[in-house]
Amino acid sequence: MLSVLDIFKIGIGPSSSHTVGPMRIATRALADAAAAGVLSKAARVRIELQGSLALTGIGHGSDKAAVLGLLGAEPDTVDPDWAETTFIQLKTATEIALHNGPVVPFNFRQDVDFRGDIVPRLHPNGLCVRLYDAGGAVIFERTFYSVGGGFIASSEQLSRPPENDLIGIAGKGALPFASAAQLLQHCAQHGLNVYDVVLANEDAKRPRGETDVGLKRIWEAMNGSIDRGLRIDGILPGGLSVRRRASSLYEILTSESHNQESERLFDWLNVFAMAVNEENAAGGRVVTAPTNGAAGIIPALIRYYCAQDGWTDEDTKADGRIGRFLLTAAGIGMIYKQRASLSGAEMGCQGEVGVACSMGAAGLCAVWGGTAAHIEHAAEIGMEHNLGLTCDPVGGLVQIPCIERNAIGAVKAANAARLSLRDSSEHKVTLDQVIETMRQTGLDMSSKYKETSQGGLAVNVVEC
């Protein structure tokens, strides 16, 4: 089984597919070259960004991430300020120190190649790393694909026919599931809730204390991205002149007297979600939830409903309210990952914000005391009303409509959780059915609406 620590990964913005993935690919490629005994012989390195990674690569920081990956930078530990300063230096540098390898000549304009004309057959987000010897001959070449949520895959992995149309997952877990039906079956058979099943699989992987530490680290990173987003104002990078709004909205919320508490619910979810995604757009540290582009929905829900009055270490443990939220949401995310995709380049934004809304609805329903059946229904509602959502970022930047879309997604997730808890009848559409519908819709969707910025708002909004 996948792990909660796989679904929620700490990284830097603005994109899990286009930033976190490429950084991991570059580092992995050099590690493979070292294992093959050729890294030390390298006299030149070239990076080829293919498909969607090239078409929106600059706006999504794909070039920056890949080059920093060559230095050995890791998404969960790299300092965003160091990353920006180092990238600026490398754009005019004449050499680069390969991680665990030699210092080789480097010319950014020549050695980072944007090949938007190449649309890989296996996945739209291809990245090839090539090493050359002193005579200019290729001595090593490796292509990986950034498949959403910071996950990467090799050509061999994507070429292997999946058994029963499901991706292969190493390790079965104590109570393995690859569908919502299997998850509910475990719950019914053993008298468990969704988070209990997910936790049983986590316990099969590592001691409970290590899981508790991981859950706390995830929430601290999520909460930290909210806090930074609420403090910082100014213009987001990229050229669209988009102004950060979360800090000013937060100031209004904390200073005004307001009698409409029901309306303030929307205000708080909006401001928390936007704070995270403005931080993501600025290249700050966020958590894939399940992607960077959809990183604000789950933190906003947890902050408002589980941590608005503060939180303790007990809350983040596996049996605490934040821990149960994360475990439940991750369990739903695992099903989407196995049965469809978390990649905007494959599914459009229904695979990012739609999945995050579904996960968030499930997590909130669990915290509110929902049964496994309620949770499955909440997750289904959260996705059903995001089907067909396109990914069409203006200017190739994760700003318009992405930031506001997270705010809307957070409110929608809370509503989905409420609807499920208020409905005791058997619902007609299952989560598995809606996931399959999302997958088919994503396959049918034109590529211009899937993270390429070649359609939708991206071509109808004048960049200025």
Side-chain angles (χ1 to χ4, degrees), residues 417-429:
R418 295 304 302 169
L419 283 172
S420 71
L421 287 169
R422 295 297 186 185
D423 186 1
S424 58
S425 62
E426 184 177 347
H427 55 288
K428 302 297 183 182
V429 182

Side-chain angles (χ1 to χ4, degrees), residues 246-274:
S247 60
S248 59
L249 289 174
Y250 180 67
E251 185 176 347
I252 293 172
L253 271 175
T254 54
S255 62
E256 70 177 4
S257 59
H258 203 301
N259 295 324
Q260 302 281 341
E261 282 301 319
S262 59
E263 294 178 12
R264 284 173 65 87
L265 158 65
F266 299 142
D267 291 337
W268 282 113
L269 290 177
N270 287 340
V271 76
F272 290 152
M274 291 175 65

Side-chain angles (χ1 to χ4, degrees), residues 320-396:
R321 54 184 178 176
I322 295 175
R324 289 198 306 271
F325 190 118
L326 292 173
L327 288 169
T328 304
I332 299 302
M334 292 172 197
I335 301 173
Y336 280 99
K337 173 62 180 171
Q338 292 181 82
R339 301 196 73 87
S341 172
L342 305 178
S343 171
E346 281 190 296
M347 295 289 109
C349 201
Q350 60 173 359
E352 296 198 39
V353 163
V355 174
C357 181
S358 181
M359 292 168 61
L364 188 55
C365 186
V367 170
W368 282 343
T371 64
H374 284 131
I375 291 168
E376 185 265 354
H377 192 191
E380 180 274 319
I381 295 172
M383 172 52 73
E384 185 177 351
H385 304 290
N386 279 293
L387 289 173
L389 193 61
T390 59
C391 183
D392 47 358
V394 176

Side-chain angles (χ1 to χ4, degrees), residues 30-39 41 139-140 142:
L30 292 189
D32 287 355
V38 298
L39 181 58
K41 303 173 185 177
I139 59 173
F140 179 85
R142 186 74 81 242

Side-chain angles (χ1 to χ4, degrees), residues 115-167:
R115 296 298 303 272
D117 59 310
I118 298 177
V119 181
R121 177 182 61 86
L122 294 173
H123 193 281
N125 295 333
L127 194 156
C128 180
V129 177
R130 296 187 182 95
L131 299 178
Y132 302 80
D133 63 17
V138 176
I139 59 173
F140 179 85
E141 179 177 314
R142 186 74 81 242
T143 298
F144 284 94
Y145 301 87
S146 181
V147 296
F151 290 92
I152 65 174
S154 66
S155 301
E156 292 77 13
Q157 288 172 307
L158 295 184
S159 298
R160 190 179 306 128
E163 184 179 353
N164 297 323
D165 201 30
L166 298 174
I167 65 169

Side-chain angles (χ1 to χ4, degrees), residues 175 187 191-201 203 324 327-328:
L175 298 171
C187 292
L192 303 174
N193 208 314
V194 170
Y195 46 79
D196 297 315
V197 174
V198 177
L199 184 57
N201 291 325
D203 286 343
R324 289 198 306 271
L327 288 169
T328 304

